[in-house]
Amino acid sequence: MIIHDLTVRGWRRFREQIELSFDRNLNIIFGPNESGKSTLIEALTRALFDKHSVTGREMDSLRPWGSTLTPEVTVVFSAGDGRYRLRKRFLDSPSSELWSRADGRWQLTADGDAADRKVLEFTGGKLPGRGVTRPHHRGLAEALWARQQDHDIPSEWNPEVLNHLEKAIGEVMQSTTSSSVEQLISQRHLELLTRVRGQPAAGGALDQAKKELRDLEEELERVKEQRVDLHRRMDDLSNIQSEAHTLERRMEEAEDELQQAREAREAAREHQEMRLNARTAHLEAEKHWEELNRRVKEIKEARKAAEKLLRQIEDSSSRKGQVQAEITSAQQRQKEFEEQLDGKRRAERQVQDRLDALNALDSLRSTEAESARYEKAAVQAAELQCRLKETENTLTDGIFPTEETLEKTTQLQEKIHEGEAVLRTQGLTIEITPEAELEAQVQLDGDEEQSRQLRHGHSKIFTAANEADLIFPGLVGIEIHSGNERAAEAVQKLRENRESLSDMLAAHNVSSVEQLSDQHQRHRTLVQQFDDLQEKLQGLPEEGDEAEIERQLRQVRNRRKRLLEELDGADLPDAWWEHPPEVLDELIEEHTEKRRKLQHDIKTLEEQAESSREPVEQLKEELAEVEREISVMQQQKQDRLDGAAELEQQDEFCTEDERAAALRRASVKAERARQAWKELEREKAEKEDEPEKLYEEAARRRDQLRKQESDLQRTEAGHLEVLQAASASNVREREGDLEARVHSTRKTVERLERDAEAYRLLDHLLAAHRREQMRSLGGPVKELVDQWTPRLLGGEYSGVEFSPELTPHGLQVEHPEVTASLETDLSYGAHEQLNFLVRLAVGVVLSREEPHMVVLDDRLTNTDPGRLKRARDILAEAGERMQIVLLTCFPDHYSGLDGKFIDMRQLTIDS
Amino acid sequence: MIRFIHTADWQMGAKFTNFGELAPHIREVRGTTARRIVQLADDRNADFLLIAGDLFEDHTVGSETIDRVLDALRETSIPVLVLPGNHDPLRPGGVWDRRRWQEGPENIQLLKEQAPVILEQAVLYACPLRQKRSRRDPTKWIPEKDEHCARHVRVGVAHGSLDILGKDVNFPVAPERAYEASLDYLALGDWHSVYQHNDRTFYSGTPEPTSFDERDPGQVLEVEIAGPGAVPEVRRHRVNCLTWIAREHDVSSDPEMTELEQWIAELQTPESMLLRLRLDGVVDLECAQRATQTAQELSRDLYHLVVEDALQTAPSEEDLASQFPSGPVGRAAEDLLHITTGRVPSGPGREFADSDPEVVRRALQLLYAAVREVET
């Protein structure tokens, strides 16, 4: 199919109608961007492939901006042997009209949907379910038209392309049936199984059948278990019946045994009664004997006890006598102690009297001494008063330097020393070292010093203001060391100071500072002495107050008088009056010691007397106790004797012999009863216990059997109940129905599985043949592309790799084992060039029987000038065999080509 | 003279698991058969109805099955004597202990003991089974002579296999038991096909078929015995509701195919027929398709149809060219044909040479069917 004329109106930028005619070979439509080149191709696409009635946002956008114009397109084309004109209006009052050219006139062939369908027969397109068409709906155009908005070559051509290729290539017969069968098989395959893993397709017939089978099998399994349980219960029931028979026999045997045991037990009960009676008789005889025996014993014991008590009373009486004797003895000892104590106390009183006298004597002596001391103190006080007066007079009469005066003289003395020191350094210094001891007169500073003893070998230094001032008459070996001018001034000052000092010393009647100091010191001593005297005076009794001393003296004398009066009555040895105080002290001490010893003895004796008093009390208490015991025992003895007498009076056997005879008879009777009872006791195990035991065992056996029987009956009843219930719920019938459904469903699953496998096999086998066919179909296309590729892309590429679906996926390079991948290894330019070549090659091959149109909308935009030039050559070559419509912004790139150049700007101006 | 109906092996409650959704109905139909037997007994003025074992398929049958039997037996007042067989032997907790059964009509008598049962003119020597399997002859106890010999017709009733097959059988019955025990008639159950062993020994077969392999089932026997020592007069009566037919047909040639179609067209009462049809022969794909279509059409008329497809499809190369379109489909068909005939295909089909032949055969059929589907 090729296009001759195209008219567009009310379409995007073409508000007004534009018309253009196409060359049947090469057409180059050029113009700048937004000049409407691609809009023309879009109008062509909508006309040839979309329903006139299609609506939607994409279609609405066809109207020119801001207008309500109706998009309209008219195409004149050739297809097969006919020439047609198609006019379509979209959106408002949509319409579709197809005319055919016959006899030089246009005749309406179809309109509306029929016209749409008819056109699709020419183009090989098919309508989508809804909306506008996509490239894969557009038949051959998918392979031949490279529109800007479409992708590059798809991964798989639509069947129409392949069918046309088959037809064009003529290698195989065209078969749409085969294609439909393949689709049908593939569809059936995928309805049953997943493509990759071959698992049942979810929701598919096989999947559903398998699910149903699983559900049924699970339900059947449950019912089967129920029915198996029923059979088991029936088997149990058979066993139970068998066991019940056995049990019945054993029960009869047990009942017989029990009856025998019951009879034996009755006999045992009789024996037991006899035995118990014998025991009662035996016990009564024993009791009678014991009663007799007890009374005999009691009488004997009462008399025996009375005798024993009598002996005890005698023993207690004897003890009573002993205690009384001990009391007497103790009281004697106590008396002796009291007498000793009285003697000691008298002696102690005597010693105390002497001691009191000695003390009074001692006090008398002290009083007399005190009296003498007071008299002496009165004398001392008079002396001290006299000395105090003398000292006071000395202090008052004497000239004593004050502290200030002393200090002043001391300062003058120091200044004089300083002046002398200045003279020693500044003045004339003479050192004399005599060769022998000598007395020398020295005249210094004009004054004559007293003679001085100059010792042999010892130096002596003298200092003077000048030589003239120092004269050593009679001395040899004088050495003058130094002297200067200031010495005179120093001497002057020295002289003044010496004069001041001399005046002050003269005022105090002394010749030297040391004497002045002594004077001052004496003054201080006198003051001190005065103070001491005053203090001594105060230290005398009553501060030396004579009156007070007198008063004290009187008191002492009175006390002495009282003491003498005291001593006057005392029996004192005469010598004591003469004893000195120290002897008196010894006597006092001696008597004190004696009194202490006596006091100790008294205390000891008092304690002994006290301790001798306690045993007597105890003995008295013991005596009272013994007397009480004797009284009690006498009462007891009487009670016993009374009891024995009472028993003897009560007893039927009055005499002891009678009682002994009765006791013997009772003993014999008791022994006989005991033997009879013992005999029956010995038989008890055999005649009572054994039958009882046998009876119990028999009863237990019977009870166990009854229990087993009861258990069996219960189990049997349970089984029967379950079986009845299962019968009521028709378990077996349900199982049968389920088994039938499982069987049927299993058959279905098996059939579907077999069919699924068969469809899978078919699908894979058909796909293998389809790939094989593709390879053979791809031959002519590949041949052309292989020719053009080195021409366009250069010598390093030797050809194109095609996929089984006849779409290019790589370029063969010179290396035999390397293919450059279309997606990863090639530049965008090479990529678009390869697609350019494939579309041209497909177009050339398809045009072998009938020419087709190839659309290339701005396809070589990334191609360099060299390759563009070569592409131009190939275009020219291909354009000879089909119709090419090439849209570009750069017409110069294609200048020189022998084709129709259509200028979009001119086209717009024309319209 | 006595007259009674001899029947056995009703197998009430059998599952029929191979029949899918039809199974409950096949079970239910046996109730109708039971009514027919009871009606026949009344019609023939039978003295009693004798069921020689396997009245029930199993002890676990449900109430609906027991009711089905009792509902039928309630329709007559003549004595119905029921012998426990190897499917329903006497055992505790079994079907005979069901309350439904025990509350059944009074004219039903279960033969529980190996003992003579005295009837008005006959004495019945019952041989009930108490287990499912045994090597012992259940009829061995029947006395050769007893006090009933002179005045009563002696009828033995047992369930087991006549020991005539030359192999171990379950509950073997001495072949000449009837004569050895001086029986006037030995009524046997267990075999589902009608069988007469001698003048006095008969299997009644099942009154309603249970499988395709039974020979002449669906009947009961009317037995008439003039008196002690007389030879029984036995008449067969057909009572079955469903007919089970197994047929094999070779459709290798067109006439054979036509013959099959003719046979099908002449079938009587197909609506009550269960047919197992085995198609055999070596055919081309068209013939195989035709046979399958015929079977499909037939299945619409029949009560039930089981087709066993044993056809071997062997299209010729010419057939392939004419029946499959060119291109991948034609080549694939060629490959499949090669594989089914043991040849290794050339080209892409080679990798499928080891496929399961059964799958390959089916694939060829499906491919053929798909082509026909697309073409039509």
Side-chain angles (χ1 to χ4, degrees):
Chain A
M1 185 175 90
I2 59 171
I3 310 297
H4 300 293
D5 301 309
L6 176 66
T7 306
V8 180
R9 185 171 63 188
W11 201 294
R12 294 194 192 270
R13 65 181 303 101
F14 302 121
R15 289 172 180 269
E16 305 300 329
Q17 179 169 301
I18 62 161
E19 297 177 11
L20 64 164
S21 300
F22 293 90
D23 187 82
R24 59 180 305 113
N25 293 107
L26 186 58
N27 299 274
I28 294 115
I29 302 176
F30 65 93
N33 291 333
E34 300 292 314
S35 59
K37 301 188 295 293
S38 298
T39 303
L40 293 177
I41 301 302
E42 182 188 38
L44 198 56
T45 307
R46 299 287 169 226
L48 293 176
F49 297 104
D50 282 295
K51 282 171 73 175
H52 68 283
S53 55
V54 68
T55 55
R57 207 165 50 186
E58 238 175 304
M59 294 303 292
D60 288 342
S61 69
L62 298 181
R63 291 184 207 271
W65 287 347
S67 86
T68 55
L69 290 174
T70 302
E72 188 176 318
V73 57
T74 305
V75 185
V76 178
F77 62 92
S78 294
D81 298 330
R83 191 180 183 93
Y84 301 91
R85 187 175 75 189
L86 171 69
R87 191 175 73 186
K88 281 194 182 179
R89 278 161 62 97
F90 294 98
L91 299 174
D92 303 323
S93 308
S95 65
S96 178
E97 294 167 350
L98 181 69
W99 283 271
S100 61
R101 187 83 172 170
D103 302 331
R105 289 190 306 143
W106 289 110
Q107 290 182 340
L108 183 64
T109 307
D111 62 355
D113 291 342
D116 291 343
R117 284 197 297 274
K118 186 70 181 172
V119 174
L120 289 176
E121 285 178 15
F122 300 136
T123 60
K126 60 180 180 180
L127 290 171
R130 53 184 296 187
V132 297
T133 55
R134 304 293 170 205
H136 62 278
H137 296 123
R138 293 173 196 153
L140 294 178
E142 184 188 26
L144 302 179
W145 293 22
R147 306 190 325 154
Q148 271 192 345
Q149 58 269 54
D150 296 338
H151 294 296
D152 278 336
I153 291 174
S155 59
E156 190 178 355
W157 299 118
N158 69 60
E160 190 64 23
V161 176
L162 296 172
N163 283 336
H164 275 79
L165 279 171
E166 284 179 23
K167 188 178 174 186
I169 293 162
E171 288 190 356
V172 290
M173 294 292 288
Q174 180 192 7
S175 172
T176 52
T177 305
S178 180
S179 177
S180 300
V181 169
E182 285 170 52
Q183 285 181 16
L184 183 62
I185 294 293
S186 181
Q187 181 189 336
R188 296 264 163 88
H189 169 206
L190 296 179
E191 280 170 3
L192 292 169
L193 297 175
T194 58
R195 183 185 292 280
V196 179
R197 302 183 64 184
Q199 297 294 316
L206 178 58
D207 184 48
Q208 285 181 346
K210 281 194 158 191
K211 274 183 189 159
E212 188 185 351
L213 180 59
R214 271 198 301 278
D215 293 345
L216 286 169
E217 281 175 338
E218 282 172 13
E219 195 181 345
L220 177 60
E221 189 60 31
R222 285 194 291 276
V223 177
K224 269 187 185 302
E225 281 173 12
Q226 207 176 342
R227 210 166 68 82
V228 166
D229 178 61
L230 297 181
H231 279 289
R232 186 184 58 74
R233 286 176 188 277
M234 277 193 282
D235 291 344
D236 273 2
L237 283 172
S238 295
N239 295 335
I240 286 169
Q241 195 177 53
S242 167
E243 275 182 51
H245 286 312
T246 310
L247 210 55
E248 203 174 337
R249 274 200 316 279
R250 289 174 60 194
M251 185 74 99
E252 284 169 9
E253 290 168 8
E255 286 289 357
D256 290 347
E257 281 177 19
L258 187 62
Q259 184 55 35
Q260 289 169 10
R262 194 178 286 121
E263 288 165 7
R265 192 176 66 159
E266 287 303 317
R269 293 268 161 88
E270 287 172 12
H271 186 276
Q272 186 187 28
E273 199 176 336
M274 279 167 60
R275 182 170 57 79
L276 292 176
N277 289 340
R279 183 166 177 272
T280 307
H282 155 67
L283 290 175
E284 283 175 357
E286 282 275 323
K287 193 176 168 188
H288 179 64
W289 177 83
E290 281 170 1
E291 180 64 20
L292 273 176
N293 195 35
R294 184 183 61 75
R295 283 211 297 271
V296 168
K297 269 187 181 171
E298 278 181 6
I299 291 165
K300 276 184 182 173
E301 281 172 4
R303 290 193 183 286
K304 203 171 165 183
E307 285 170 12
K308 189 179 173 186
L309 284 167
L310 190 59
R311 280 197 298 278
Q312 285 175 348
I313 289 165
E314 285 169 2
D315 290 347
S316 295
S317 299
S318 168
R319 173 70 186 148
K320 182 182 169 188
Q322 285 175 3
V323 171
Q324 281 171 340
E326 283 174 14
I327 287 169
T328 308
S329 169
Q331 283 173 340
Q332 184 62 35
R333 277 201 304 279
Q334 195 177 357
K335 193 176 176 185
E336 286 169 5
F337 281 132
E338 292 291 341
E339 285 169 1
Q340 283 177 12
L341 196 57
D342 285 347
K344 290 287 181 186
R345 278 176 183 154
R346 276 195 303 278
E348 194 255 342
R349 271 198 301 277
Q350 286 172 357
V351 171
Q352 184 64 41
D353 291 345
R354 286 290 176 90
L355 195 56
D356 289 345
L358 280 171
N359 282 332
L361 199 57
D362 189 47
S363 297
L364 182 63
R365 291 283 166 78
S366 299
T367 307
E368 285 175 349
E370 196 174 354
S371 174
R373 187 169 61 84
Y374 276 113
E375 287 169 359
K376 189 181 173 187
V379 175
Q380 281 178 342
E383 284 177 3
L384 284 173
Q385 285 290 353
C386 185
R387 282 173 62 190
L388 196 61
K389 190 69 182 173
E390 285 175 3
T391 307
E392 193 178 3
N393 291 338
T394 308
L395 282 171
T396 308
D397 297 342
I399 304 170
F400 298 102
T402 63
E403 194 79 31
E404 189 183 352
T405 306
L406 184 64
E407 191 178 347
K408 203 169 179 179
T409 54
T410 306
Q411 286 173 352
L412 284 170
Q413 181 77 24
E414 283 175 359
K415 283 178 179 173
I416 290 165
H417 287 321
E418 284 172 4
E420 286 171 351
V422 168
L423 278 179
R424 272 195 300 278
T425 56
Q426 306 292 332
L428 185 66
T429 304
I430 299 169
E431 186 172 358
I432 301 169
T433 309
E435 290 175 351
E437 295 277 334
L438 63 87
E439 188 82 19
Q441 280 290 323
V442 177
Q443 189 179 2
L444 187 62
D445 195 18
D447 294 333
E448 189 175 343
E449 280 197 4
Q450 292 179 348
S451 58
R452 297 214 182 180
Q453 185 73 32
L454 297 175
R455 293 173 64 191
H456 170 73
H458 285 250
S459 296
K460 178 74 175 176
I461 296 170
F462 298 94
T463 304
N466 49 54
E467 293 170 20
D469 291 338
L470 198 56
I471 301 164
F472 294 93
L475 286 181
V476 291
I478 296 169
E479 188 180 344
I480 298 168
H481 291 282
S482 64
N484 69 17
E485 296 89 6
R486 285 179 61 197
E489 188 182 347
V491 168
Q492 182 62 33
K493 232 173 196 178
L494 189 62
R495 195 171 287 146
E496 287 170 7
N497 285 338
R498 281 175 180 165
E499 282 171 4
S500 297
L501 182 60
S502 179
D503 292 344
M504 288 179 79
L505 292 172
H508 289 85
N509 297 327
V510 292
S511 59
S512 67
V513 174
E514 285 77 17
Q515 286 174 350
L516 189 66
S517 179
D518 291 347
Q519 198 74 3
H520 179 69
Q521 188 63 36
R522 189 175 163 234
H523 177 255
R524 286 177 65 181
T525 306
L526 285 171
V527 171
Q528 182 66 40
Q529 192 177 345
F530 183 78
D531 291 343
D532 288 347
L533 286 169
Q534 277 189 326
E535 193 176 343
K536 281 179 183 173
L537 198 59
Q538 286 169 358
L540 288 172
E542 300 304 324
E543 298 175 350
D545 188 343
E546 287 177 29
E548 182 62 26
I549 291 171
E550 190 63 31
R551 193 182 59 81
Q552 291 288 349
L553 195 57
R554 274 198 305 278
Q555 282 181 356
V556 169
R557 283 170 181 159
N558 288 337
R559 197 157 65 238
R560 179 170 169 271
K561 189 179 175 186
R562 278 197 309 277
L563 287 168
L564 286 169
E565 285 167 3
E566 275 179 31
L567 288 168
D568 193 33
D571 183 19
L572 288 176
D574 293 339
W576 286 16
W577 290 101
E578 306 301 328
H579 284 333
E582 55 272 20
V583 176
L584 282 176
D585 287 342
E586 283 174 11
L587 282 169
I588 288 169
E589 194 174 340
E590 181 188 333
H591 279 80
T592 303
E593 179 62 22
K594 192 183 280 181
R595 188 190 63 178
R596 196 187 57 74
K597 280 176 75 179
L598 283 169
Q599 282 174 339
H600 177 262
D601 291 347
I602 289 165
K603 193 176 178 187
T604 307
L605 282 170
E606 280 175 348
E607 286 172 359
Q608 285 176 344
E610 188 63 29
S611 62
S612 67
R613 204 173 289 125
E614 195 174 339
V616 172
E617 292 302 319
Q618 285 176 350
L619 285 168
K620 282 181 180 171
E621 284 175 11
E622 190 178 347
L623 181 64
E625 181 65 24
V626 170
E627 284 172 346
R628 266 198 309 281
E629 278 178 10
I630 290 168
S631 169
V632 170
M633 284 189 291
Q634 279 174 340
Q635 184 60 43
Q636 286 176 344
K637 184 194 79 177
Q638 193 54 47
D639 290 347
R640 291 285 182 176
L641 288 173
D642 292 347
E646 194 179 345
L647 283 170
E648 281 170 356
Q649 282 170 7
Q650 284 176 0
D651 209 337
E652 56 186 310
F653 307 109
C654 297
T655 66
E656 196 166 334
D657 291 342
E658 282 174 346
R659 279 197 294 276
L663 198 58
R664 277 198 299 278
R665 283 196 300 277
S667 172
V668 169
K669 189 176 176 185
E671 180 58 24
R672 281 178 186 159
R674 194 183 71 80
Q675 282 177 359
W677 170 61
K678 282 289 174 191
E679 181 62 25
L680 288 168
E681 280 292 331
R682 271 194 295 278
E683 292 173 353
K684 176 175 177 287
E686 180 193 351
K687 293 191 173 174
E688 292 177 30
D689 296 347
E690 189 64 20
E692 187 68 31
K693 193 172 153 193
L694 288 172
Y695 174 78
E696 283 171 6
E697 282 176 4
R700 195 169 55 249
R701 271 201 300 280
R702 197 266 319 267
D703 291 346
Q704 280 176 349
L705 289 170
R706 272 185 184 168
K707 185 172 179 305
Q708 284 178 20
E709 188 180 37
S710 167
D711 289 348
L712 273 181
Q713 284 169 351
R714 211 166 31 249
T715 310
E716 184 181 27
H719 285 343
L720 285 172
E721 198 52 44
V722 170
L723 286 163
Q724 294 289 3
S727 172
S729 61
N730 298 305
V731 172
R732 182 184 166 79
E733 286 75 5
R734 278 195 290 129
E735 183 190 36
D737 293 349
L738 277 169
E739 281 179 356
R741 287 177 64 196
V742 165
H743 180 268
S744 160
T745 312
R746 194 174 285 144
K747 288 277 180 201
T748 304
V749 168
E750 285 169 5
R751 180 177 56 76
L752 285 171
E753 280 179 338
R754 196 177 64 248
D755 284 1
E757 279 304 308
Y759 277 123
R760 187 176 171 77
L761 171 69
L762 277 174
D763 201 11
H764 290 175
L765 184 60
L766 289 168
H769 278 291
R770 168 62 67 183
R771 283 194 296 275
E772 179 71 12
Q773 183 180 346
M774 286 300 146
R775 274 193 288 278
S776 62
L777 285 177
V781 175
K782 187 175 185 314
E783 194 179 331
L784 263 180
V785 177
D786 285 352
Q787 281 176 22
W788 286 338
T789 300
R791 280 174 60 190
L792 181 59
L793 277 73
E796 59 180 316
Y797 298 107
S798 57
V800 179
E801 280 285 328
F802 278 89
S803 71
E805 288 74 27
L806 202 59
T807 53
H809 67 77
L811 275 175
Q812 294 163 349
V813 296
E814 283 190 327
H815 193 288
E817 293 176 1
V818 175
T819 298
S821 166
L822 203 59
E823 293 191 354
T824 57
D825 299 335
L826 296 178
S827 70
Y828 191 77
H831 192 261
E832 70 173 15
Q833 289 148 20
L834 186 59
N835 284 327
F836 166 79
L837 292 181
V838 169
R839 288 191 195 274
L840 284 182
V842 171
V844 168
V845 172
L846 287 178
S847 299
R848 284 182 183 174
E849 288 202 341
E850 179 192 351
H852 286 281
M853 180 176 74
V854 167
V855 176
L856 300 166
D857 186 355
D858 247 355
R859 285 289 114 176
L860 297 174
T861 52
N862 297 290
T863 302
D864 63 60
R867 288 189 181 180
L868 200 61
K869 184 176 179 304
R870 294 197 287 274
R872 212 162 49 211
D873 295 342
I874 293 168
L875 263 179
E877 196 177 304
E880 291 174 1
R881 304 189 220 178
M882 59 184 176
Q883 186 181 41
I884 297 173
V885 177
L886 190 146
L887 296 88
T888 180
C889 301
F890 308 104
D892 295 347
H893 291 173
Y894 304 96
S895 61
L897 276 173
D898 183 14
K900 183 174 183 179
F901 284 74
I902 302 169
D903 185 348
M904 286 304 295
R905 286 170 299 186
Q906 190 62 45
L907 202 63
T908 311
I909 293 166
D910 291 348
S911 68
Chain B
M1 184 201 70
I2 62 163
R3 182 184 295 129
F4 62 93
I5 300 297
H6 168 200
T7 180
D9 299 294
W10 287 17
Q11 312 293 146
M12 300 299 283
K15 290 178 182 171
F16 303 106
T17 54
N18 293 344
F19 297 93
E21 303 292 334
L22 278 178
H25 186 252
I26 298 176
R27 281 205 307 274
E28 192 182 334
V29 158
R30 303 180 91 75
T32 308
T33 311
R35 281 198 176 83
R36 286 184 182 182
I37 295 169
V38 167
Q39 184 64 46
L40 177 72
D42 281 343
D43 290 349
R44 301 302 303 161
N45 284 323
D47 294 309
F48 55 87
L49 171 62
L50 183 59
I51 304 173
D54 284 0
L55 172 57
F56 292 105
E57 173 73 5
D58 188 86
H59 280 298
T60 54
V61 293
S63 301
E64 73 172 43
T65 302
I66 297 171
D67 286 348
R68 196 169 286 145
V69 171
L70 294 177
D71 288 348
L73 297 183
R74 275 192 190 95
E75 292 183 1
T76 183
S77 57
I78 65 169
V80 179
L81 302 156
V82 180
L83 183 81
N86 65 324
H87 275 261
D88 50 9
L90 275 173
R91 59 177 304 179
V95 65
W96 313 117
D97 287 344
R98 299 280 174 276
R99 276 195 280 278
R100 291 290 175 116
W101 177 259
Q102 289 174 347
E103 290 164 3
E106 290 179 357
N107 59 323
I108 299 173
Q109 184 179 355
L110 184 67
L111 303 171
K112 294 185 191 176
E113 306 292 339
Q114 283 186 345
V117 176
I118 311 300
L119 303 172
E120 202 171 329
Q121 297 179 56
V123 59
L124 207 60
Y125 295 93
C127 307
L129 301 187
R130 295 183 177 279
Q131 59 213 82
K132 279 190 170 293
R133 299 196 163 276
S134 174
R135 293 269 175 260
R136 283 188 293 187
D137 183 347
T139 62
K140 196 173 179 182
W141 75 277
I142 303 174
E144 187 183 349
K145 285 183 181 174
D146 57 14
E147 66 273 24
H148 311 295
C149 289
R151 287 177 289 114
H152 291 83
V153 171
R154 285 162 60 91
V155 177
V157 56
H159 192 90
S161 286
L162 279 174
D163 198 2
I164 55 175
L165 301 176
K167 61 178 183 182
D168 283 345
V169 290
N170 197 19
F171 292 109
V173 175
E176 303 308 319
R177 176 65 66 200
Y179 289 100
E180 289 166 6
S182 304
L183 294 172
D184 294 308
Y185 185 82
L186 177 57
L188 290 173
D190 194 27
W191 292 1
H192 286 200
S193 304
V194 176
Y195 180 72
Q196 178 181 358
H197 180 60
N198 55 38
D199 288 347
R200 299 179 186 277
T201 307
F202 286 81
Y203 279 99
S204 64
T206 179
E208 186 65 43
T210 58
S211 83
F212 290 109
D213 301 325
E214 290 161 356
R215 189 162 36 81
D216 207 11
Q219 302 177 73
V220 295
L221 302 179
E222 178 191 351
V223 182
E224 191 176 303
I225 304 172
V231 175
E233 190 176 330
V234 178
R235 284 184 286 275
R236 300 182 180 193
H237 294 276
R238 188 159 291 282
V239 291
N240 59 313
C241 295
L242 299 174
T243 309
W244 295 47
I245 295 175
R247 186 175 174 90
E248 292 181 9
H249 214 99
D250 192 319
V251 289
S252 295
S253 63
D254 273 351
E256 286 168 329
M257 189 66 212
T258 308
E259 186 188 335
L260 171 65
E261 288 164 349
Q262 183 71 26
W263 178 80
I264 289 169
E266 288 171 2
L267 280 175
Q268 298 294 312
T269 63
E271 69 280 2
S272 62
M273 181 181 289
L274 290 86
L275 174 61
R276 184 178 71 192
L277 181 61
R278 179 183 169 88
L279 296 174
D280 217 339
V282 180
V283 294
D284 59 18
L285 287 166
E286 189 181 356
C287 184
Q289 179 86 351
R290 185 176 157 197
T292 307
Q293 277 177 357
T294 303
Q296 280 173 353
E297 285 164 15
L298 180 60
S299 72
R300 287 195 284 271
D301 298 331
L302 286 175
Y303 182 79
H304 184 68
L305 174 66
V306 183
V307 176
E308 292 180 1
D309 185 356
L311 294 172
Q312 292 182 29
T313 46
S316 63
E317 301 286 341
E318 294 75 24
D319 285 343
L320 284 182
S322 64
Q323 289 166 348
F324 290 94
S326 59
V329 171
R331 289 173 190 162
E334 194 178 336
D335 288 346
L336 294 172
L337 179 63
H338 283 182
I339 295 169
T340 53
T341 52
R343 288 177 287 167
V344 176
S346 58
R350 192 183 298 113
E351 63 180 290
F352 300 94
D354 295 331
S355 301
D356 179 358
E358 191 61 27
V359 173
V360 173
R361 197 173 71 85
R362 181 65 183 154
L364 188 57
Q365 287 174 355
L366 291 173
L367 187 60
Y368 181 78
V371 170
R372 298 287 83 80
E373 188 179 334
V374 167
E375 283 177 349
T376 56

